[in-house]
Amino acid sequence: MARKRGQRVRAILTAAAELFGERGYAGVSLEDVADRLDVTKGSLYYYFASKDELVTAAIETLGTDWTDRLEALPVAGSPTERLRALLREHIRIAVREYPAALRMFLVPDEWPEEQRSRITALRRRHDAVFRAVLEEGLRGGEFTVVAVDPTLQAMHAAMSQAPVWVHDDRGIDQLADTLMMLVGVSAGTAA
Amino acid sequence: MARKRGQRVRAILTAAAELFGERGYAGVSLEDVADRLDVTKGSLYYYFASKDELVTAAIETLGTDWTDRLEALPVAGSPTERLRALLREHIRIAVREYPAALRMFLVPDEWPEEQRSRITALRRRHDAVFRAVLEEGLRGGEFTVVAVDPTLQAMHAAMSQAPVWVHDDRGIDQLADTLMMLVGVSAGTAA
DNA sequence: ACAAACTTTGACTCTTGGGTCAAGATGTGA
DNA sequence: TCACATCTTGACCCAAGAGTCAAAGTTTGT
């Protein structure tokens, strides 16, 4: 009963996340979402009070899943190894599973105010995973950066757009290695 | 006569580029564009057959203008100096004038073939400016990269998203210096 | 001054999309 | 089987926005 409802909600959120990821907030109608689920628009309103609410929930689900998986990576190894593993995994998820999710996180200005702040919160948690490793590497002298924030922002920007031009494992590794340059670690270096 | 028409068209494209740059394709109506020019929507249809056509032309204007400005930068100096200048100028334009340009360049996926190829051509020309300096720096041993393409892609991704989190001159400089790390040049180094 | 060409208007059509809701369909439990 | 709760539907409302067009306004050349 309550479980069934949960599954239904989940299915809706998955469909919504895919579509909004592909075409952005204004580019997707609730009819589109309903069509993909083979139901009618009215049905969606039984579960969500508005388009905004649906979209917020969809982003939240996607963002939470994503961060969970990054946090689940092994904590062993040097900062260099761990950062590289994080980058690889992040790019892999982006490329393989949410190839179009980028627009969702990319375009906060377009979204209603309430949604914006929740996305920001998600991002912060996501960001913290990378920040922790980066700062550890800095303390240990393993990494060098101009400043922490722009470094993280640049990493995320590049990873978010990766699906546009990265398609195979080699591309994933190359991009991860390229981004390691941002912390002053060259590809050959096994610090 | 023909000149007058050209000026009018340019005025429309400028207004359109600004608006679409701010809020994206779906977020701007032709009424919005008309309002900014103190004319009515019908008037725009005298110059452009459709919203798509207007937007494509606006993107072309924006892209051409942008690349022109990068190409106009002084050619003197080492690759390091020139690349840094390019990055700074690019970020400055993105942050100050076309905060949502990225969005415009991402939309084309579903657009008609003709418009898409024009935009692709723009991108290639834009990319070539950076590629030339990067390759020169590599030949001279000044730069080190994992691979040229992911490096350029990462740079552009970061710069395109800069408007989201960069707001002042200090941020612009920091980001430019951060991106120099991608080619193996640390902030302090004046190669 | 006048006609021809050019430009702008505003009212109009049509479609799309967010949101509502009463009525029907499908369970679920006793 | 009956009653109650849980979905689902499809018709409907309303607003916004793309696109059209005849008529009015403005230039321009002669």
Side-chain angles (χ1 to χ4, degrees):
Chain A
M1 36 193 86
R3 180 143 77 224
K4 208 136 205 174
R5 185 189 178 88
Q7 289 178 337
R8 199 91 194 84
V9 167
R10 192 93 191 165
I12 294 172
L13 291 179
T14 303
E18 285 170 13
L19 285 171
F20 285 112
E22 280 163 26
R23 309 207 291 270
Y25 177 78
V28 176
S29 72
L30 293 190
E31 293 254 10
D32 293 336
V33 178
D35 279 357
R36 172 161 303 200
L37 293 161
D38 283 311
V39 284
T40 51
K41 185 177 51 163
S43 191
L44 298 180
Y45 279 92
Y46 180 73
Y47 295 98
F48 300 93
S50 67
K51 183 183 185 182
D52 284 3
E53 200 177 279
L54 205 202
V55 172
T56 305
I59 291 184
E60 214 151 317
T61 297
L62 188 154
T64 304
D65 281 358
W66 200 317
T67 310
D68 285 349
R69 289 177 57 179
L70 294 183
E71 285 177 346
L73 286 178
V75 196
S78 68
T80 296
E81 285 162 359
R82 279 159 54 211
L83 181 57
R84 205 193 312 264
L86 271 179
L87 293 172
R88 257 200 268 253
E89 179 70 3
H90 191 290
I91 300 165
R92 195 174 291 129
I93 295 174
V95 172
R96 299 249 176 86
E97 282 157 76
Y98 300 114
L102 106 99
R103 278 191 191 78
M104 282 216 275
F105 296 96
L106 185 64
V107 197
D109 292 6
E110 187 185 332
W111 300 65
E113 174 53 36
E114 192 209 343
Q115 275 64 31
R116 250 181 349 216
S117 56
R118 296 174 78 166
I119 294 171
T120 304
L122 271 182
R123 261 206 192 152
R124 233 194 303 279
R125 184 185 152 218
H126 196 268
D127 184 66
V129 179
F130 286 84
R131 187 178 296 267
V133 178
L134 176 50
E135 283 177 346
E136 193 189 324
L138 285 173
R139 276 196 301 278
E142 218 166 287
F143 297 159
T144 313
V145 299
V146 175
V148 172
D149 283 4
T151 302
L152 288 170
Q153 311 279 23
M155 275 181 187
H156 279 104
M159 292 191 292
S160 304
Q161 271 185 72
V164 176
W165 30 274
V166 171
H167 298 103
D168 54 15
D169 281 348
R170 198 164 144 276
I172 293 174
D173 288 348
Q174 273 195 346
L175 179 56
D177 287 343
T178 295
L179 295 180
M180 290 302 292
M181 299 284 289
L182 285 172
V183 296
V185 176
S186 289
T189 314
Chain B
M1 33 194 88
R3 179 140 82 225
K4 208 135 203 173
R5 186 188 177 90
Q7 288 179 338
R8 199 91 195 83
V9 166
R10 198 142 4 116
I12 294 172
L13 291 179
T14 302
E18 283 171 17
L19 284 170
F20 286 113
E22 277 163 27
R23 309 207 293 272
Y25 176 78
V28 177
S29 72
L30 292 192
E31 293 253 8
D32 294 336
V33 178
D35 279 358
R36 170 160 306 200
L37 293 160
D38 285 312
V39 283
T40 52
K41 186 176 49 160
S43 191
L44 299 181
Y45 280 92
Y46 179 73
Y47 297 97
F48 299 94
S50 67
K51 184 181 184 183
D52 279 9
E53 199 179 278
L54 206 200
V55 172
T56 305
I59 290 181
E60 206 153 328
T61 296
L62 184 156
T64 302
D65 177 59
W66 198 316
T67 311
D68 284 350
R69 290 174 59 177
L70 293 183
E71 285 178 346
L73 287 178
V75 195
S78 67
T80 296
E81 285 162 0
R82 279 158 53 210
L83 181 56
R84 206 193 313 263
L86 272 178
L87 292 172
R88 256 200 269 252
E89 180 69 2
H90 190 292
I91 300 164
R92 193 173 295 129
I93 296 173
V95 170
R96 300 249 177 87
E97 283 157 76
Y98 302 116
L102 168 62
R103 217 177 297 164
M104 298 184 73
F105 287 98
L106 280 178
V107 174
D109 283 13
E110 305 119 36
W111 291 19
E113 175 52 37
E114 191 211 340
Q115 296 167 342
R116 216 182 342 167
S117 56
R118 286 161 81 183
I119 292 166
T120 304
L122 272 181
R123 263 202 214 158
R124 233 194 304 280
R125 184 183 153 220
H126 194 269
D127 184 67
V129 179
F130 286 85
R131 189 178 296 266
V133 178
L134 177 50
E135 283 175 348
E136 192 190 322
L138 285 172
R139 274 196 303 278
E142 219 167 282
F143 297 160
T144 313
V145 299
V146 175
V148 172
D149 282 5
T151 302
L152 287 170
Q153 309 279 24
M155 273 181 189
H156 277 103
M159 291 190 293
S160 304
Q161 276 185 67
V164 176
W165 31 273
V166 171
H167 298 102
D168 54 14
D169 281 349
R170 198 165 144 276
I172 291 174
D173 288 348
Q174 274 195 346
L175 179 56
D177 287 343
T178 296
L179 294 181
M180 290 302 292
M181 298 285 289
L182 284 172
V183 296
V185 176
S186 289
T189 312

